[in-house]
Amino acid sequence: MRPVFLRRGLSVAALAAVAVLAGCVSDAPTKAEIEAARVAAEIAARTPPRIRLNQSVADAAAVYMAFSRDMAALEGGFTDPEQIQAALRRGAAYDPGQISRGLVAYASILALQSPEFVSGVRSLADDQATREGLVARIVADPRHASTLPGADAAAGLVMATLSADINALARAANSIENDAYAIQAPYDPRRSWGVAEVWGREARLEVAKVRSAQIMQPAADEASRLFEAAHSGGGALPVSGAPRKPPYPPAVVNGLALAALAALGYAGENARANTDALQFDRVSQGCLTMSKLNLFQCLAASRPNYEDMFCLGRHIVRDLATCSRGAAMPAPIVTVSDVVPVEAAPAEPVVITVAPPAPAGPSAPAAPPAPRPAPSITERLNTGPDRAPSD
């Protein structure tokens, strides 16, 4: 990407204008005035610009945060089919690209809550030329921001906050999916409508497809709160997390890069080209797009209401957690130990002893069979009233 630079000659231009006006009043500026103007211009050049992050980033972050927390608030225990359909309509109403961009945008605002990162980035840019050079390196390779002072502290805030939200989504998915099994049980009073066929199957699938193409609008108060937090210099949001060392997952890398540009004053309204590009995350967008296709297939195949519950839990709530985790959390590390050769011991002679036949007589009672373990929850829920779990 070509960096979009924000020229900051205002202070110098203003001082030059003052000098010109002063020259009009008197025949020529004094040596003291010239020296004062030079010092002022030098100070202005070395003073870091204020944090700048454009409104679109805060809007995108507000959409992701609101949708993620709305889905995490869902839970099992539906009392009628319409509750299921209402939850499906809410959950289907997102565009994969918009949620993916919002994930990175939210990560960048979380990173800006780290004073160590904000001050660390700004300490590396004493003048405009140095700032522009640093911006160019970040734009060319967003991973460079992960090496800047305080990046580990910012990454810790990002990953701890997103992890808590992702875990909340996973708990909600468990609740909904377990309820899809529970409602099938003979003793569940909801079974009569839970196993009945979904009313208006074709129509509800078309509604899901239409709502999936709609762009969500951010809540004005939430977007304003995030915008102000981004420009606070750190600590405006109640987030915490231990520092995390690199390498970082894709959404965190881009979030740190976007936050670094903002800390340098190069992510304002006239830098949309750079900020839009950094919000693109291939991992989460591809995952969420595939999730939508799976949701449509699930709804097309679903017939009873409990299957719609499963579609909601698996392909909306759980997939949102899975896709966010894949983009914003480190992959698990699997360690395989070295193979240790073992010398074979010399073979021992094998002695086979044949027992004599038992004398005729009453047979000894057979040993009682080992008790069968209790059936699992899933096994119990899927056992009909007239059949027992097979041995």
Side-chain angles (χ1 to χ4, degrees), residues 153 156-161 237-242:
L157 291 181
V158 173
M159 297 170 79
T161 305
L237 298 179
V239 295
S240 62

Side-chain angles (χ1 to χ4, degrees), residues 24 33 42 102 124 136 138 167 183 205 232 289 304 306 342 349 358 371 380:
C24 295
E33 291 171 338
E42 184 176 342
L124 299 179
I138 294 171
N167 290 339
I183 200 172
L205 176 57
S232 68
T289 300
Y306 73 81
V342 179
R380 290 200 307 271

Side-chain angles (χ1 to χ4, degrees), residues 370-388:
R372 187 182 187 279
S376 66
I377 295 175
T378 301
E379 191 175 7
R380 290 200 307 271
L381 293 177
N382 286 281
T383 300
D386 55 350
R387 61 185 179 89

Side-chain angles (χ1 to χ4, degrees), residues 263-284:
L264 294 168
Y266 286 79
E269 296 300 334
N270 62 340
R272 287 283 300 270
N274 288 344
T275 60
D276 287 353
L278 283 172
Q279 288 177 75
F280 174 74
D281 173 49
R282 190 182 306 276
V283 174
S284 60

Side-chain angles (χ1 to χ4, degrees), residues 6-389:
L6 186 63
R7 298 290 178 187
R8 307 190 184 284
L10 249 136
S11 298
V12 177
L15 289 167
V18 170
V20 169
L21 290 173
C24 295
V25 175
S26 60
D27 293 335
T30 65
K31 290 183 178 180
E33 291 171 338
I34 294 174
E35 179 62 16
R38 185 192 66 78
V39 171
E42 184 176 342
I43 292 174
R46 291 184 176 276
T47 301
R50 63 187 179 90
I51 297 171
R52 291 181 183 272
L53 187 69
N54 62 64
Q55 184 65 50
S56 69
V57 178
D59 290 346
V63 167
Y64 171 81
M65 191 182 74
F67 182 71
S68 175
R69 295 184 179 177
D70 184 31
M71 293 299 99
L74 294 175
E75 58 182 0
F78 296 98
T79 57
D80 58 60
E82 178 52 31
Q83 277 194 345
I84 301 172
Q85 296 307 314
L88 275 171
R89 290 191 292 270
R90 280 165 57 191
Y94 77 88
D95 172 73
Q98 186 180 20
I99 295 299
S100 173
R101 292 189 298 274
L103 173 61
V104 178
Y106 187 40
S108 72
I109 293 176
L110 292 173
L112 285 169
Q113 300 313 296
S114 169
E116 298 92 339
F117 184 58
V118 173
S119 60
V121 171
R122 293 162 73 87
S123 70
L124 299 179
D126 290 337
D127 54 54
Q128 184 172 334
T130 306
R131 285 193 292 273
E132 291 184 354
L134 181 55
V135 169
R137 288 193 294 275
I138 294 171
V139 171
D141 183 2
R143 292 172 297 180
H144 184 68
S146 302
T147 68
L148 301 178
D152 57 344
L157 291 181
V158 173
M159 297 170 79
T161 305
L162 291 179
S163 179
D165 291 343
I166 291 167
N167 290 339
L169 285 166
R171 287 192 295 270
N174 289 338
S175 174
I176 296 168
E177 289 178 22
N178 287 338
D179 200 36
Y181 287 107
I183 200 172
Q184 301 173 58
Y187 52 78
D188 194 309
R190 304 170 298 164
R191 176 182 164 84
S192 58
W193 61 262
V195 299
E197 183 167 320
V198 174
W199 183 83
R201 290 178 58 250
E202 297 296 331
R204 63 98 162 78
L205 176 57
E206 291 306 314
V207 167
K209 290 180 178 179
V210 170
R211 291 179 70 84
S212 296
Q214 296 175 350
I215 299 300
M216 289 185 286
Q217 299 301 318
D221 57 343
E222 197 62 68
S224 176
R225 185 175 74 93
L226 292 175
F227 184 79
E228 292 174 4
H231 293 83
S232 68
L237 298 179
V239 295
S240 62
R244 301 288 293 262
K245 296 295 183 184
Y248 303 124
V252 178
V253 168
N254 283 13
L256 289 173
L258 186 49
L261 294 185
L264 294 168
Y266 286 79
E269 296 300 334
N270 62 340
R272 287 283 300 270
N274 288 344
T275 60
D276 287 353
L278 283 172
Q279 288 177 75
F280 174 74
D281 173 49
R282 190 182 306 276
V283 174
S284 60
Q285 182 162 332
C287 181
L288 290 167
T289 300
M290 183 58 66
S291 171
K292 267 299 172 75
L293 295 178
N294 289 334
L295 173 64
F296 298 154
Q297 290 178 353
C298 189
L299 293 177
S302 171
R303 290 192 175 277
N305 285 297
Y306 73 81
E307 288 184 350
D308 267 16
M309 291 167 61
F310 182 83
C311 294
L312 168 67
R314 177 58 56 91
H315 296 302
I316 294 179
V317 184
R318 188 174 301 283
D319 282 359
L320 179 59
T322 300
C323 294
S324 298
R325 191 183 303 279
M329 295 291 111
I333 299 175
V334 179
T335 303
V336 180
S337 60
D338 295 335
V339 177
V340 180
V342 179
E343 294 183 5
E348 295 283 345
V350 179
V351 179
I352 301 176
T353 304
V354 179
S363 59
R372 187 182 187 279
S376 66
I377 295 175
T378 301
E379 191 175 7
R380 290 200 307 271
L381 293 177
N382 286 281
T383 300
D386 55 350
R387 61 185 179 89

